Amino acid sequence: MEFAVLLRQLDELEERYQEWVGPLNRVIRECTFRVNRDGYTPADFERDVRAIKEKQRARYDPYQAIYALLDELCPAYLEAPAEQRAVVRAAVSDKRGVSSALLGYAYRAAERVRSSADREWLRRGLAAISIENCGRDYRDVLLALAELCVAAEEVGIEPRADFRAVSRLSSGEKPRGGRTSVRQMLARFQSYGVLKERREREKREKGPGCA
């Protein structure tokens, strides 16, 4: 499918996301002012927000719709020339719903890396990170990258080459949500403390006696 068509579909999905998230944001604003007043507790707040989320998702789940489109966009992005990749990054930079879904898609990709034959999912997850381009908060990006890296390592995939390959496809400019370009972040990720912490947590979760 042509990029123009994919990007037009992203515009439509973002519009639907904004319609979907409106009632949720309204409840969050209203309930935030009630916390710790007249017996309304943080637990009550979490309950009410969860209820409106479930109600909205029962009608329509914007993330699943965006994920389906990203299944096409991410592989296409990896094969696209530099000019088209830049257009894709620019097209999603002002789309809050799509940006959130891109990070979610990276976690989704990590969950699908279940064997050494699943390298394609690693690369799709990295493509999603490259497209999102640290548009909101670099800390969220680092956590998603750690999940991808550890998921790959756990099934015998050495991810260094994939990180380097996608780094070369990524923007070298300072992003809106951080000080380090995504190109540098991917190229140097093996030295990041967040990855060391995620590896150590993986060992603890597997328990003693596990390789």
Side-chain angles (χ1 to χ4, degrees):
M1 187 179 295
E2 294 183 0
F3 271 104
V5 176
L6 291 172
L7 296 182
R8 187 162 58 248
Q9 290 180 355
L10 278 181
D11 287 339
E12 295 169 356
L13 290 173
E14 177 68 18
E15 184 175 347
R16 293 195 68 183
Y17 170 84
Q18 293 300 331
E19 293 173 355
W20 176 86
V21 82
L24 175 59
N25 286 338
R26 185 164 57 252
V27 168
I28 291 175
R29 286 194 301 269
E30 293 171 353
C31 292
T32 297
F33 288 111
R34 296 175 58 195
V35 174
N36 295 328
R37 297 180 181 180
D38 300 324
Y40 190 81
T41 68
D44 294 326
F45 173 83
E46 293 294 334
R47 179 202 62 213
D48 290 343
V49 170
R50 183 167 56 251
I52 188 64
K53 280 184 179 180
E54 292 174 354
K55 181 180 179 181
Q56 289 297 93
R57 284 177 175 164
R59 296 175 177 175
Y60 170 68
D61 188 339
Y63 290 102
Q64 295 307 314
I66 298 173
Y67 291 163
L69 186 57
L70 294 179
D71 282 339
E72 297 184 60
L73 180 61
C74 287
Y77 177 86
L78 293 173
E79 300 298 327
E83 295 80 5
Q84 285 187 324
R85 294 196 305 273
V87 167
V88 172
R89 292 193 295 267
V92 305
S93 63
D94 63 345
K95 294 178 174 60
R96 189 169 184 84
V98 172
S99 293
S100 177
L102 281 163
L103 289 179
Y105 188 84
Y107 282 96
R108 181 174 180 264
E111 292 173 355
R112 282 161 173 71
V113 179
R114 297 169 182 163
S115 76
S116 58
D118 292 329
R119 188 171 229 120
E120 176 62 23
W121 277 110
L122 169 62
R123 292 180 63 82
R124 287 189 187 191
L126 293 172
I129 295 297
S130 180
I131 294 170
E132 197 272 340
N133 195 34
C134 249
R136 295 171 65 180
D137 191 326
Y138 75 96
R139 291 167 294 188
D140 294 333
V141 173
L142 291 178
L143 291 173
L145 286 174
E147 289 298 317
L148 278 167
C149 192
V150 170
E153 291 173 343
E154 285 299 300
V155 296
I157 297 174
E158 170 49 65
R160 292 172 190 262
D162 300 282
F163 272 69
R164 288 196 297 266
V166 179
S167 78
R168 292 191 289 270
L169 305 179
S170 302
S171 172
E173 299 179 359
K174 177 183 176 181
R176 183 170 53 196
R179 290 177 292 180
T180 303
S181 72
V182 173
R183 180 180 298 170
Q184 291 180 334
M185 187 181 294
L186 291 174
R188 302 174 181 175
F189 192 67
Q190 292 294 323
S191 66
Y192 278 48
V194 67
L195 177 57
K196 179 181 178 181
E197 292 173 5
R198 183 62 185 87
R199 285 168 172 163
E200 290 175 350
R201 179 159 65 87
E202 184 71 15
K203 290 179 181 179
R204 291 195 301 270
E205 290 175 350
K206 291 176 68 174
C210 294

